[in-house]
Amino acid sequence: MSLFRKIFGSSHPAAEEQKESEFSTYYKEPTVSIDEQFIFNFKKNGGKFLYCENNLEITEQFENILEENDWFESEVLCYDPELFKLLDDNKLTYDKPENPKFLLSSCESLIAEEGSILFSSKQIKQHKPNDLPTNMIILAKASQIMGTKSDGLSAIKKKYERDYPTNISTIKYFEKAKEEDFTQYGSSAKNLYLLLLEDL
């Protein structure tokens, strides 16, 4: 056998085909968009996903969630002034709540790779994820879907040049683990609804 054949392998067509199939097994082109990847992973984690085409649908879906859970006229944790009108319209109290039924919030981004939601102090102040209410309603836009967590962190850097937020954290688990899962150790599962607005 020649030295080149030993180094570069056989020039036999069958061997070449086998190499190509091995190569394509390890380096497959992604066939799903990051939107689909996010939705798949988010639902796999136990999240409830509601797609909305416009703000009217956001309002309708929000009211459906309130009705489904009997959350009308309850206390809510919310730090985003842009969402206060939604709460006012439904007679929900958000000024210094003592026992909030749920968190209503926007987010920094949605991470497709792990189906998680990235927050900062802009949305959740200095609360740790475990200290937040178990029930959450998150409003996000399709343009906030990022491939990886590092893409999400880069977007935060770009968005806040001066007033950089703190307490950057993700929430990933939206239902109790069916079995003991060491990857969920120390994380409390959230009952999370995501209202995703199409803005692309």
Side-chain angles (χ1 to χ4, degrees):
M1 185 183 268
S2 79
L3 179 63
F4 287 112
R5 193 168 290 174
K6 274 187 182 171
I7 295 170
F8 298 111
S10 168
S11 60
H12 193 272
E16 287 301 312
E17 277 179 27
Q18 187 183 347
K19 267 192 192 164
E20 275 181 30
S21 73
E22 283 173 15
F23 181 83
S24 65
T25 303
Y26 293 110
Y27 301 99
K28 277 197 173 159
E29 284 293 309
T31 53
V32 294
S33 67
I34 62 165
D35 303 37
E36 291 170 315
Q37 186 187 3
F38 170 75
I39 292 163
F40 175 80
N41 289 330
F42 176 76
K43 285 180 160 183
K44 190 176 77 175
N45 292 343
K48 298 176 184 87
F49 171 80
L50 298 159
Y51 173 80
C52 303
E53 287 189 359
N54 51 48
N55 286 320
L56 179 63
E57 284 189 17
I58 291 263
T59 305
E60 286 171 3
Q61 294 289 12
F62 180 68
E63 287 171 2
N64 290 341
I65 295 167
L66 295 180
E67 192 172 343
E68 180 186 323
N69 294 283
D70 194 20
W71 287 341
F72 286 107
E73 298 182 26
S74 57
E75 291 186 316
V76 181
L77 186 64
C78 182
Y79 297 113
D80 189 339
E82 288 182 22
L83 301 177
F84 290 168
K85 185 180 183 321
L86 200 55
L87 297 171
D88 289 334
D89 290 349
N90 290 285
K91 298 182 175 66
L92 296 160
T93 311
Y94 52 87
D95 186 32
K96 297 177 186 163
E98 289 178 27
N99 189 20
K101 287 272 186 188
F102 64 93
L103 167 78
L104 176 66
S105 177
S106 56
C107 64
E108 292 296 343
S109 56
L110 307 169
I111 310 301
E113 181 181 61
E114 56 182 32
S116 63
I117 299 182
L118 185 69
F119 295 96
S120 77
S121 55
K122 300 290 181 185
Q123 294 88 36
I124 60 173
K125 300 294 183 194
Q126 296 309 315
H127 294 287
K128 302 261 184 294
N130 288 357
D131 301 333
L132 294 168
T134 301
N135 302 306
M136 300 178 137
I137 303 174
I138 306 303
L139 276 67
K141 295 175 178 171
S143 59
Q144 289 179 279
I145 298 175
M146 306 280 161
T148 64
K149 206 180 283 184
S150 60
D151 296 334
L153 295 173
S154 299
I156 289 175
K157 271 186 188 169
K158 243 186 243 175
K159 185 177 173 184
Y160 306 102
E161 286 177 18
R162 293 200 177 112
D163 186 18
Y164 197 75
T166 56
N167 193 26
I168 296 166
S169 53
T170 57
I171 294 179
K172 180 178 175 180
Y173 302 111
F174 313 118
E175 64 181 9
K176 293 275 181 228
K178 291 171 181 66
E179 298 166 10
E180 276 303 311
D181 180 356
F182 77 93
T183 61
Q184 293 194 32
Y185 182 75
S187 347
S188 61
K190 302 295 182 187
N191 174 34
L192 192 141
Y193 293 86
L194 174 65
L195 301 179
L196 186 67
L197 177 65
E198 180 56 74
D199 69 331
L200 296 173

